Amino acid sequence: MKPKYLTGPLAGFSALLLCMACEPSVTVHHLNNNEARLHFAANRDYLLLPVEDGAPNATLRFFTEDGGSRSIRVALAREACDCTFPFDLRPYDGRKVVCEVTDCPYDAVCWEAMRLSDRIPAFAEEPFRPAYHHTPPYGWMNDPNGMVREGDVYHLFYQHNPYGSRWENMSWGHAVSRNLLDWEELGVVLEPDSLGAVFSGCCVMDPQNTAGFGRNAMIALYTASGARQTQCLAYSTDRGRTFTRYDGNPVLTSDRPDFRDPKVFYHDRTGRWIMVIAAGQAMEIHSSANLRSWRFESRFGEEYGAHGGAWECPDLFELPVEGEPGQTRWVMLCSLGVEDGSRVQYFVGDFDGRNFTPEDDPDEVKWMDFGRDHYATVTWSGAPDGRRIALGWMNNWAYANEVPSVTFRGSNTLPRELGLRRVGGELLLTSAPAREAEKLLGEPFAVPAFAVETEHNVSPLPSGPAPAGRIELELEGGDAEVFGCKLFNCRGEYVDICFNRIEGTMLVDRSHSGRTDFSPAFAATRPVPFASGGRSRLTFWIDRSSIELFVDGGERAATNLIYPSEPYDRMNFYAKGGTLHVKKLEISPLHPYKQKDSHE
């Protein structure tokens, strides 16, 4: 006699071909070559799922006796198990569970390796896991979103697949920090529901209870991506630990197929909440008195900037103009895919509560970062002292699913403080590491100034073969036509930063930086327009798998992933057609506390 809860998709055991136990607490019934059912009682915290990176996804549908159901897609191990990802059973609280598995063959190795456990297994240490950049403890991560400061705590939510290290099962992971450097992971807070996967969005604090969910409720607005993309609301009254979805979802809809990534802020001058949202290849602006009912105000972008792909991940904020007291401008951020990958552009202008009016010429394109791996950048709501602190996803959609790590994929940039600076009559958005990043560093080592006629090696660097840290340079090109420096290791792997005075460009070349074989797009280079006369200040922030380069206090930035087989521990300076003067070379290794943490 079948248990009474085995109805609908749980019935029909006449197709049973094989019954075997991968552990006494989990029973596998194979129905045919590609379908199976798992039976177990949720009397442990986790179901451990063996995963093979790059294998085809299987669909797992979980059913309980009270009618609840969930569905996830997982690359269950077929030939070999690369790692094991946990499925959280605590919400099931001891109930009987049946899981239908489709699209996984009966002879896959996963069946015998599945088991229940009260612990998440230890993941193997990966050589490219960052020492100090935020990255998920396991699984896939892309866009940072929902970034809000509550009290003295910075909340970071992010696009997350907790069941594999490739894009799938889009949910919101959650981490908190008091210093923007050390992050405590709090787990998944929003998972897909009947309206779809949980794409990017934002969080705001509601101190005046405008939405009706309580004073100081944390309100999340996010894109549900199902049959179409709609905007939904969820609220938290326990400091972001759990969220309740609003019964009236969705709160905003559109006929556009690409309609996503709401960013919301309170506009004091109009006394309304403002939402800027990506809609096709433009941004829409909506307003609301209560965060639940939205009114269309305007649309911006069809005739401005770059349009290589759908616009995504908007942000809109006001900044003071450096050195011009009383002067402010509004800045709009926009991420998009272009021919050579993923980038973030920005516009400078004015916002009156309804319309954004740019100062830029329609054909002008301003890039926030000139590297290959800087995308989905948005800013924290509620940062103190009027600061505007940004965070970006350090990856590129051209190869994000293929980078050489297994237990995790995806990391974020250093938190960056944004400003507006007038350079040559043009307002530039500056982007430099937030002041908190100084705490990552130990005592600096200085190298005396020197001149380079052809080549000059600093080998090894005085700080030793540290895998991470900061290098500060001041270069004076003199009369050299081409000059630059290379970071390299004893295996001959190097990154080349080259200034070409004749062409007026700067180039970061990582074609010989280490592992580049996982994608033909990875080694591609992108020259940056740059007037290299006079003295240039270069700051490198180096981690195990990234280099963030800031030029002249953040007037230019270039973020690039790297995968060297050993840390870069040497520098080569070169000059062609003249002399290069190195006025400053200072190396700051990672602080011992962070080196220790990165190995724990």
Side-chain angles (χ1 to χ4, degrees), residues 4 23 42 47 168 187 238 250 399 406-407 422 442 463 497 577 595:
K4 63 180 180 180
E23 184 179 295
L47 171 65
E168 193 62 74
D238 60 0
Y399 43 74
V406 176
T407 60
R422 199 174 295 278
S463 61
I497 298 91
Q595 292 189 42

Side-chain angles (χ1 to χ4, degrees), residues 192-269:
D193 66 359
S194 60
L195 291 176
V198 185
F199 278 17
S200 290
C202 64
C203 283
V204 294
M205 302 305 296
D206 187 13
Q208 302 303 318
N209 193 24
T210 62
F213 302 116
R215 288 188 178 275
N216 292 310
M218 184 183 294
I219 310 296
L221 290 126
Y222 64 91
T223 299
S225 183
R228 59 176 178 164
Q229 294 184 345
T230 60
Q231 312 319 309
C232 294
L233 182 151
Y235 61 93
S236 173
T237 57
D238 60 0
R239 307 180 66 208
R241 271 57 179 176
T242 61
F243 280 85
T244 301
R245 284 178 161 95
Y246 173 49
D247 289 340
N249 282 337
V251 297
L252 184 61
T253 62
S254 173
D255 292 332
R256 297 181 182 276
D258 295 310
F259 183 63
R260 56 182 176 265
D261 310 339
K263 183 63 188 287
V264 173
F265 62 94
Y266 191 77
H267 189 248
D268 289 326
R269 277 166 271 180

Side-chain angles (χ1 to χ4, degrees), residues 53 126-131 133-136 139-141 165 372-374 393-412 467 487-489 491-496 508-524 541-548 559-568:
D53 186 48
E126 295 207 33
F128 300 127
R129 181 176 285 278
H133 288 83
H134 173 262
T135 195
W140 164 276
M141 180 183 75
S165 51
R372 296 275 288 157
D373 299 301
H374 175 265
W393 179 46
M394 201 154 50
N395 219 322
N396 189 315
W397 282 115
Y399 43 74
N401 279 284
E402 308 300 332
V403 296
S405 54
V406 176
T407 60
F408 79 99
R409 279 193 177 93
S411 54
N412 288 317
L487 288 161
F488 67 103
N489 59 26
R491 293 181 177 270
E493 300 166 343
Y494 64 87
V495 175
D496 183 6
V508 179
D509 183 353
R510 60 178 179 184
S511 58
H512 298 87
S513 59
R515 285 284 309 274
T516 64
D517 58 342
F518 53 88
S519 169
F522 186 77
W541 282 85
I542 305 169
D543 207 336
R544 291 193 178 98
S545 55
S546 65
I547 295 179
E548 293 173 89
T559 303
N560 290 281
L561 294 174
I562 50 168
Y563 296 99
S565 56
E566 293 184 6
Y568 304 132

Side-chain angles (χ1 to χ4, degrees), residues 5 40 164 252 384 482 487 490 561:
Y5 69 95
F40 57 90
L252 184 61
V482 176
L487 288 161
C490 63
L561 294 174

Side-chain angles (χ1 to χ4, degrees), residues 26 40-49 85-90 115-121 138:
V26 179
F40 57 90
N43 51 19
R44 296 287 187 273
D45 287 348
Y46 304 101
L47 171 65
L48 302 184
L49 301 172
F85 286 88
F87 179 82
D88 192 352
L89 296 176
R90 288 172 293 182
R115 66 186 188 277
L116 302 179
S117 176
D118 286 326
R119 293 186 178 184
I120 296 175
Y138 56 88

